[in-house]
Amino acid sequence: MKNSANLASPRPNVVVIGAGFAGLRVVQGLAKACVNVAIIDRHNYHLFQPLLYQVATTALSPADIAFPIRRIFRSQKNVECVLGDVTQIDLNRSCLTIDNAQEIDFDYLIVATGATHSYFGKEEWLRNAPGLKTIDDALQIRKRILLAFEEAENELDEAAQRAKLTFIIVGGGPTGVELAGALRQIAVKEIQKDYRHVDTSTARIMLVEANDRILKSFHPKLSAHAMRDLEKLGVEIRLNGRVTAIDDQGVKIGDERIDANNVFWAAGVLASPLGKSLGVELDRAGRVIVKPDLSVPGYPNVFIAGDLASVTSSDNNKPVPGVAPAAMQMGEHVAKVIKQEILSKLPVEKRAPFQYRDKGSMATIGKAKAIADIHGWRFTGFIAWLMWSMIHLMFLITFRAKLFVMLNWAYTYIFQTTGARLITGEFKPRIRKFRDVTPN
């Protein structure tokens, strides 16, 4: 079934797939353009992914970092919000299919569907080592963390209790580092007094990294500083560690077997599978290799933005990293190109190439601990943590979110406790030998 309303309109139809950072910036950039815009996403919300780990570690609730798409664009009259899953794209016919049912024509298409987890060919590890890309992932990880402490509280078998209190994070990038630091903070500072029969501070938090240092994208001095901070917190770091097996009882690092009931994956990303459906050239990570203006070779009306795009910045010829600021800038660039072509009939050959402006890198490690590299200026400790906090607050979309997150952080900082510690959904505790819970 075709979208006949769009076909009847003389205004160009712009379709944006994905309501992440790139997709939102495209739509916002076209607010005053004489176009019809449709933004399609399988969820009805935009997710602020940089704070997703805080949902997983009970510091924030999902509503603090997820915002309804219709609410975001309710004042932008040229936008239609569509809840659905794009199942097919026909570049030659300039149309796409939603949920194998409805077809929508486009004059311009922007694919900004991001990336997912990469298990490097070991997809069976997903069941026992969830990654952290969506709210569902965060809630699953949070459930596993909280259940682990509950089970340890009532477990008499010492070996089983140690396994429940062993948390292994695979991958020493920003997500892995932030998750490891927050987990250690929970165990030592935030929940220790809530349990009577187990000392949560004995929890073993291990960060496994295949390279020779964590946070490989940062300056070596900052990486070393972050590693020292994590070790002071009590996080065990394994460098040059290759995970060779994962099951529901633990992991193997090389030939060493470690019993652990909780394994979390932060080691790699794989581009959205929608890129493959385009039938164009991809890089090793499944990203679409685009032209300097972010368009698909041979299809000047189709753009790729965000983590799905494989592109080098025109000013320094370096690969553009898969980070939120880059996605935002790509979205802004695509919107500008479309507006120029509509207003001034600028030929395709005159399009400006995309230039990535590196605004710096940051990673938080724990309470009042972070690292930051801003245009060559390097910061650590409380100052870096304060900068990290302010910048993340600034990029949250709504005033309500900024206020709630700021109050949550202030409460946690002062009282060393978090409020989002609910175990939801069905679960069955795995306890080998139950402690006697009869009241005295």
Side-chain angles (χ1 to χ4, degrees):
M1 180 176 65
K2 290 274 188 178
N3 188 327
S4 58
N6 282 351
L7 289 172
S9 173
R11 293 153 60 105
N13 297 319
V14 180
V15 177
V16 180
I17 308 174
F21 290 110
L24 249 62
R25 288 304 175 101
V26 173
V27 179
Q28 290 168 339
L30 296 173
K32 297 181 180 180
C34 188
V35 296
N36 297 317
V37 182
I39 181 167
I40 307 169
D41 199 286
R42 64 181 61 179
H43 302 293
N44 74 331
Y45 55 82
H46 163 73
L47 176 64
F48 191 80
Q49 278 194 337
L51 293 181
L52 196 56
Y53 84 96
Q54 294 208 357
V55 174
T57 54
T58 76
L60 297 174
S61 296
D64 294 330
I65 64 166
F67 317 99
I69 300 169
R70 293 186 181 277
R71 176 68 181 271
I72 296 171
F73 295 116
R74 66 179 179 180
S75 299
Q76 190 171 331
K77 301 304 181 182
N78 66 342
V79 177
E80 288 284 348
C81 301
V82 181
L83 179 65
D85 193 9
V86 175
T87 50
Q88 185 178 353
I89 300 175
D90 190 330
L91 298 183
N92 294 318
R93 293 174 53 221
S94 292
C95 71
L96 57 85
T97 306
I98 302 176
D99 296 320
N100 293 313
Q102 183 181 14
E103 280 193 354
I104 295 181
D105 293 330
F106 58 80
D107 295 299
Y108 291 96
L109 174 67
I110 298 90
V111 185
T113 48
T116 185
H117 321 295
S118 173
Y119 289 86
F120 308 109
K122 300 288 186 179
E123 304 309 315
E124 66 274 14
W125 290 355
L126 171 62
R127 178 180 177 183
N128 297 305
L132 187 57
K133 286 292 182 183
T134 68
I135 284 181
D136 291 338
D137 294 336
L139 293 178
Q140 181 186 8
I141 290 175
R142 185 177 76 181
K143 183 176 181 179
R144 290 193 179 202
I145 292 170
L146 295 176
L147 273 176
F149 290 115
E150 292 294 331
E151 292 171 353
E153 170 81 344
N154 292 314
E155 179 64 78
L156 280 181
D157 186 285
E158 291 185 5
Q161 188 184 73
R162 283 197 301 272
K164 295 180 190 305
L165 292 178
T166 299
F167 301 83
I168 297 179
I169 299 101
V170 184
T175 299
V177 166
E178 291 168 346
L179 193 57
L183 264 173
R184 187 61 186 166
Q185 190 82 25
I186 291 171
V188 176
K189 298 291 185 180
E190 297 174 7
I191 66 171
Q192 189 178 16
K193 294 180 181 179
D194 294 352
Y195 292 87
R196 299 178 179 176
H197 305 285
V198 63
D199 182 0
T200 61
S201 68
T202 63
R204 184 184 186 187
I205 315 296
M206 180 184 296
L207 182 64
V208 182
E209 169 55 45
N211 290 299
D212 58 357
R213 62 184 175 97
I214 60 172
L215 298 172
K216 191 78 171 179
S217 61
F218 286 77
H219 189 277
K221 289 185 178 180
L222 291 179
S223 294
H225 191 280
M227 184 167 172
R228 289 194 298 271
D229 279 348
L230 283 174
E231 290 176 335
K232 287 178 183 177
L233 283 174
V235 176
E236 182 180 341
I237 299 176
R238 295 285 187 94
L239 299 178
N240 300 306
R242 296 282 180 178
V243 173
T244 54
I246 300 177
D247 56 42
D248 61 351
Q249 299 298 320
V251 304
K252 284 186 69 175
I253 303 174
D255 295 326
E256 179 187 4
R257 171 77 185 186
I258 299 175
D259 291 335
N261 290 167
N262 307 282
V263 183
F264 307 127
W265 189 264
V269 294
L270 184 67
S272 164
L274 196 58
K276 293 182 180 179
S277 70
L278 298 175
V280 297
E281 186 178 1
L282 309 177
D283 68 7
R284 293 176 60 186
R287 298 173 299 182
V288 178
I289 299 175
V290 297
K291 298 181 69 173
D293 63 354
L294 301 182
S295 68
V296 174
Y299 301 93
N301 65 325
V302 179
F303 298 87
I304 310 295
D307 292 351
L308 185 58
S310 177
V311 62
T312 57
S313 182
S314 62
D315 58 340
N316 58 18
N317 207 34
K318 291 184 179 180
V320 177
V323 293
M328 294 178 189
Q329 292 175 34
M330 288 184 194
E332 292 166 358
H333 174 84
V334 171
K336 184 177 179 180
V337 167
I338 293 174
K339 285 191 296 184
Q340 286 178 336
E341 292 189 354
I342 291 172
L343 292 174
S344 60
K345 306 300 181 183
L346 188 73
V348 172
E349 297 77 16
K350 297 293 185 179
R351 286 179 179 175
F354 173 68
Q355 291 186 354
Y356 171 58
R357 301 177 299 280
D358 187 354
K359 297 184 178 181
S361 302
M362 295 181 172
T364 182
I365 299 153
K367 181 180 178 181
K369 292 181 173 63
I371 59 172
D373 190 340
I374 311 296
H375 299 301
W377 293 85
R378 303 185 187 101
F379 304 90
T380 60
F382 179 78
I383 294 177
W385 178 79
L386 193 61
M387 293 170 62
W388 178 92
S389 302
M390 295 304 296
I391 288 175
H392 281 71
L393 282 174
M394 181 176 66
F395 281 108
L396 288 170
I397 290 179
T398 66
F399 174 77
R400 175 191 177 278
K402 297 177 196 290
L403 179 62
F404 275 52
V405 170
M406 182 175 66
L407 291 175
N408 263 314
W409 285 350
Y411 184 86
T412 301
Y413 186 90
I414 295 170
F415 297 104
Q416 297 190 10
T417 186
T418 56
R421 283 165 45 193
L422 304 180
I423 301 174
T424 57
E426 296 182 1
F427 60 88
K428 183 178 181 180
R430 299 180 299 171
I431 297 177
R432 187 177 300 174
K433 187 178 181 183
F434 254 106
R435 177 183 62 83
D436 184 4
V437 295
T438 304
N440 293 327

